[in-house]
Amino acid sequence: MLREEVARPLQWKCVESRADSKRLNYARFILFPLMRGQGDTIGIAMRRSLLGEIEGTCITRAKSEKIPHEYSNIAGLEESVHEILMNLKEIILRSNLYGTRNASICVKGPGYVTAQDIISPPSVEMVDTTQHIASLTEPIDFCIELQVERHRGYRMKTPNNAKDGSFPIEAVFMPVRNANHSIHSYGNGNEKQEILFLEIWTNGSLTPKEALNEASRNLIDLFIPFLHAEEQDIRLEDNQNIVNIVNIVTVPFLTYHDRLHKLKKNTKERALKCIFIDQLELPSRVYNCLKRSNLYTLWDLMNKSQEDLLKIEHFRIEDVKYILDILQKHFSMDLPKNTFSLLNPLE
C-alpha cells in the first residue's frame, strides 16, 4: 500500500499565507508524498534558487550636480546625503523591466519626501508609497535623478569620486528575504515517506507563491541542457584554457529547434513544454500579456492561433508579427491565422 502511495503524483499545497505588512509576506507550503531523501534534495535546491536566482528591482544610483559628496549636509534637509541614499536603498519596487531605466524626484519644500514622489517608468511600481526618503524643513527644491535596475543577488556599491554628482547605491535585488525547509518523515523502515515543508518570506514585490513558481522555472531552465544536449567528446590539452572548454560544452541559446524534426511526436510535445516564453527574448510588455493569459511555455503558445493572441488585452497586430518572426527564425514554426484553421503545430 505504501509503495502505491509513493507512486502517486506529487502534490503541493499552501497551508498558511499572510501579509504582515506591505513589505513582508509569508507563506508555508508542503510537498508530498516523497521517498526518503527526496525532501532534502528538493528543499536545498529550492532554497538556493529562491534566495539567489530570482530577479528583483532596485534603485542603484542617484545623481544631483548640487551635491558635492555623499557625506555632505544640505541646508533645508533634515537628513544627510548619506542617510537619503540609505533610504533610497530600502525602497521596494515591483517591475518586469529589462536592463536599466531612469526615474526622478522633484519636490518643493517644506514637507516630507516619500516613495510616492518618485516619478518612475510605467513598468515600475512602488510597493509601499509611504516609505520615507527625506524631510524638507525649508522651501527648497529637492530634485535628483535616479537609476532603476532589475537584476539578481546583491551588489556592493563601487567607489565613486562623485565628480559628476552621481552616487552608486548598494543594491539588494533579492525579493525573497528568507526561505527555510524542514522534513517530516512517516512510515517504518525502508517504507518511510517524507513531507517537505517550505517557508518563504518576501519583500512584497512578489508573493511567496509567485516566488515559488519563479524559483521552480529557474531550476528547470538550469537542467534543460542535460535533457537536450548531445554528449560531446572533449580532449583536454595541457595548454588549453578552461574558458575555451566552457565555451565548447555550453549549449547555445535556443538551439533546441535544430533537433525537433528528428524527434517523435510525443517527444516534441515534451520538448516544447520545457521551453519557457521568457527564453524567447520578448519585449517586457508582450511577455507580461502572455503571462497574464497563462501562456508560460512554447507548447502553450503553439496551441493558440493568431486570432487567439489578438483577443488578449493590450495585444497588437505588431506583437503577433514579432512572435511569428521569432517562431519562424528559431523553430521554423508558425501559428495558424484563426481558430477555424487551427491544426496540430507538431504535425
Side-chain angles (χ1 to χ4, degrees):
M1 177 65 70
L2 284 175
R3 285 178 181 169
E4 292 177 359
E5 291 179 357
V6 172
R8 290 183 308 171
L10 293 179
Q11 304 176 56
W12 72 275
K13 291 182 180 179
C14 179
V15 294
E16 184 180 357
S17 178
R18 66 174 186 265
D20 294 331
S21 68
K22 289 183 178 180
R23 287 177 276 156
L24 183 60
N25 293 347
Y26 168 83
R28 186 160 59 111
F29 306 90
I30 60 173
L31 179 67
F32 65 97
L34 297 168
M35 291 187 289
R36 187 169 57 178
Q38 288 182 336
D40 267 330
T41 300
I42 299 172
I44 293 172
M46 284 300 300
R47 185 176 186 275
R48 292 181 66 90
S49 183
L50 284 163
L51 293 174
E53 298 292 331
I54 300 180
E55 293 186 341
T57 306
C58 289
I59 298 172
T60 57
R61 189 171 291 275
K63 182 177 181 180
S64 176
E65 296 178 355
K66 297 180 179 179
I67 300 176
H69 58 82
E70 180 178 342
Y71 297 98
S72 59
N73 289 288
I74 308 297
L77 273 175
E78 186 175 306
E79 294 87 355
S80 67
V81 174
H82 176 74
E83 289 173 322
I84 293 173
L85 294 177
M86 290 300 99
N87 290 338
L88 289 171
K89 172 187 171 182
E90 298 298 324
I91 300 297
I92 305 297
L93 307 175
R94 179 190 293 116
S95 82
N96 285 312
L97 64 83
Y98 292 90
T100 61
R101 295 289 187 277
N102 294 324
S104 63
I105 301 174
C106 197
V107 178
K108 186 174 182 63
Y112 296 103
V113 182
T114 66
Q116 187 175 5
D117 297 308
I118 297 177
I119 304 170
S120 62
S123 57
V124 180
E125 176 188 350
M126 308 298 137
V127 171
D128 185 357
T129 57
T130 66
Q131 282 189 268
H132 181 76
I133 296 175
S135 302
L136 307 181
T137 58
E138 297 179 14
I140 63 171
D141 291 326
F142 178 78
C143 294
I144 57 174
E145 299 175 22
L146 304 174
Q147 178 179 284
V148 178
E149 185 176 350
R150 182 177 175 85
H151 212 275
R152 65 179 62 179
Y154 174 80
R155 181 191 299 164
M156 295 183 65
K157 64 179 181 179
T158 54
N160 190 312
N161 55 19
K163 285 184 178 179
D164 61 348
S166 179
F167 302 92
I169 298 175
E170 220 168 40
V172 182
F173 294 103
M174 301 175 289
V176 176
R177 289 300 188 226
N178 195 14
N180 289 328
H181 82 278
S182 58
I183 299 164
H184 172 70
S185 299
Y186 61 98
N188 297 312
N190 293 329
E191 303 296 342
K192 275 192 174 182
Q193 294 175 255
E194 296 179 343
I195 300 176
L196 172 66
F197 290 84
L198 191 63
E199 294 181 289
I200 302 173
W201 290 262
T202 67
N203 65 2
S205 62
L206 286 178
T207 66
K209 183 179 178 181
E210 289 171 335
L212 184 64
N213 291 339
E214 184 80 13
S216 301
R217 285 196 297 271
N218 289 339
L219 281 177
I220 291 172
D221 287 345
L222 289 174
F223 286 100
I224 282 178
F226 294 104
L227 297 175
H228 298 278
E230 295 180 359
E231 183 180 358
Q232 301 182 40
D233 183 19
I234 303 172
R235 296 181 180 179
L236 305 181
E237 303 288 343
D238 292 339
N239 60 350
Q240 188 174 19
N241 191 299
I242 189 67
V243 175
N244 294 330
I245 300 174
V246 173
N247 290 335
I248 291 174
V249 300
T250 299
V251 180
F253 184 69
L254 290 175
T255 58
Y256 310 130
H257 63 285
D258 296 332
R259 301 182 62 222
L260 288 180
H261 67 280
K262 301 177 183 178
L263 302 176
K264 295 181 180 179
K265 184 176 178 180
N266 60 339
T267 311
K268 290 179 182 179
E269 177 180 339
R270 186 166 62 250
L272 292 178
K273 286 182 177 179
C274 289
I275 302 175
F276 292 89
I277 61 172
D278 51 4
Q279 293 176 271
L280 304 182
E281 294 187 320
L282 298 170
S284 57
R285 189 182 60 79
V286 176
Y287 171 76
N288 291 333
C289 287
L290 294 176
K291 195 173 179 181
R292 283 194 296 268
S293 299
N294 297 320
L295 301 178
Y296 299 107
T297 67
L298 190 56
W299 172 255
D300 298 332
L301 188 60
M302 294 303 299
N303 280 280
K304 295 292 182 181
S305 67
Q306 298 178 35
E307 187 180 82
D308 292 332
L309 295 183
L310 287 173
K311 293 178 181 177
I312 297 175
E313 188 177 4
H314 305 309
F315 222 74
R316 306 174 302 190
I317 186 69
E318 292 83 1
D319 302 330
V320 175
K321 290 179 180 178
Y322 189 90
I323 290 175
L324 292 175
D325 289 342
I326 289 180
L327 293 178
Q328 188 60 235
K329 178 180 177 181
H330 294 295
F331 301 94
S332 299
M333 292 181 174
D334 208 345
L335 295 177
K337 292 184 178 180
N338 53 62
T339 52
F340 300 105
S341 63
L342 185 60
L343 301 175
N344 189 339
L346 298 178
E347 293 182 343

